Amino acid sequence: MAIWNLGSINADFVYAVPHIPTPGETLAATGRQMFLGGKGANMSVAAARAAARVNHIGAVGEDGRWALDRLLEYGVDTRNITVIGTETAQAIIMVDPKGENSIILHPGANAEIPQTTLQAALSEAQTGDWLVIQNETNLQRTAARLGKKLGLKIAYAAAPFDADRVQAVLPHLDFLILNAVEAAQLQAITGQSPADLPVRDVIVTRGAEGADWFGRDGEQHFPAIKVTPVDTTGAGDTFTGYVLAGLDRGLPMAQAIAQATRAAALMVTRHGTADVIPDLSEVQAFQP
């Protein structure tokens, strides 16, 4: 099978800072690096490195052709990424010594993916493939409806959280993943807990506390692996990509989550985003 990811592609500028700045504060960075990033690109790279066949659907500007080369190098099919006249998206990421981060996004080309690009990509998809969407691009509702009509399994990462967007795609979902804050926001809006949502599988990630899976047989908790984090950026995307790759390869959900937990733990010990996501051999060999 295959994973089709309607996802963002960013140039990530990562600044090491003594602490996350407060309003009105001017702060000198102690380091600066540039990485391939975006929640979509991170998930595509993670799934590809977890041995799934991944097709990325998206857009970059002329200034982002390097990102296509990088994705291809990491095993992601880039034929359905369109180069348009809008500049490539950017993220300004500040990371403190404890690994916590603060992020500013400029959506750029991510918000202008042509509908024809989406339609052309999904015309190649097969019944039973996964379609992944998240909130850093346009066309989520269109993709969810079209994917469902084509017999695809629809996965949704509800970040950055937007109540209207979540509710628009909720009826089409087979799999929903969100963090604890987003889960609380969704419950406040819908009145439904994760266990009550009309979605077959829901995962709520809880950072250092692990993750909860709400499935047909009830709730199951998966504790996080204890490591010393240096950068939490991209860890959630790595987790999501690994879960989906495991499911696509036929793993039971519990095994897919366990493998993804190891990948996320290894990821937070590294500085960077898509460029440093561990591959499956590293995850299997990881000894925390």
Side-chain angles (χ1 to χ4, degrees), residues 16-184:
V17 293
H19 58 266
I20 304 301
T22 58
E25 180 180 13
T26 299
L27 191 63
T30 58
R32 176 186 180 276
Q33 293 176 286
M34 178 180 169
F35 297 95
L36 170 67
K39 296 189 70 64
N42 294 341
M43 291 176 194
S44 283
V45 171
R49 286 185 161 173
R53 184 161 67 90
V54 182
N55 304 271
H56 196 99
I57 307 166
V60 296
E62 288 288 347
D63 60 331
R65 291 184 180 274
W66 63 272
L68 306 188
D69 295 337
R70 197 80 60 86
L71 283 165
L72 190 61
E73 176 186 343
Y74 296 150
V76 177
D77 190 322
T78 61
R79 290 175 300 154
N80 295 293
I81 301 174
T82 301
V83 178
I84 63 175
T86 303
E87 65 182 353
T88 303
Q90 297 179 8
I92 305 300
I93 304 171
M94 294 169 285
V95 181
D96 72 12
K98 296 180 180 179
E100 295 299 326
N101 63 56
S102 181
I103 303 173
I104 299 172
L105 289 176
H106 170 57
N110 289 334
E112 298 182 21
I113 300 169
Q115 186 166 326
T116 53
T117 298
L118 171 67
Q119 292 169 331
L122 294 188
S123 69
E124 301 178 28
Q126 298 183 11
T127 299
D129 284 355
W130 280 98
L131 171 64
V132 189
I133 55 178
Q134 32 74 37
N135 282 343
E136 287 185 348
T137 74
N138 59 326
L139 298 177
Q140 292 106 352
R141 182 186 303 185
T142 301
R145 288 176 174 172
L146 180 57
K148 205 66 175 178
K149 183 178 180 180
L150 294 171
L152 309 185
K153 293 175 286 189
I154 312 300
Y156 180 55
F161 187 81
D162 182 290
D164 292 338
R165 289 184 172 187
V166 175
Q167 290 180 300
V169 302
L170 203 56
H172 308 292
L173 302 183
D174 298 286
F175 172 59
L176 170 66
I177 184 165
L178 64 176
N179 65 31
V181 173
E182 294 157 353

Side-chain angles (χ1 to χ4, degrees), residues 152-258:
L152 309 185
K153 293 175 286 189
I154 312 300
Y156 180 55
F161 187 81
D162 182 290
D164 292 338
R165 289 184 172 187
V166 175
Q167 290 180 300
V169 302
L170 203 56
H172 308 292
L173 302 183
D174 298 286
F175 172 59
L176 170 66
I177 184 165
L178 64 176
N179 65 31
V181 173
E182 294 157 353
Q185 291 173 318
L186 184 58
Q187 184 167 347
I189 294 163
T190 64
Q192 295 175 303
S193 69
D196 297 327
L197 291 170
V199 181
R200 185 181 63 197
D201 292 296
V202 178
I203 295 178
V204 178
T205 59
R206 301 186 180 279
E209 297 178 7
D212 295 324
W213 166 41
F214 300 86
R216 292 176 177 174
D217 298 325
E219 178 183 353
Q220 185 174 348
H221 178 70
F222 294 81
I225 295 172
K226 301 301 181 183
V227 294
T228 301
V230 299
D231 185 355
T232 58
T233 311
D237 302 331
T238 299
F239 180 89
T240 300
Y242 260 83
V243 169
L244 289 168
L247 296 177
D248 186 63
R249 299 200 326 271
L251 293 182
M253 178 65 84
Q255 291 184 27
I257 293 175

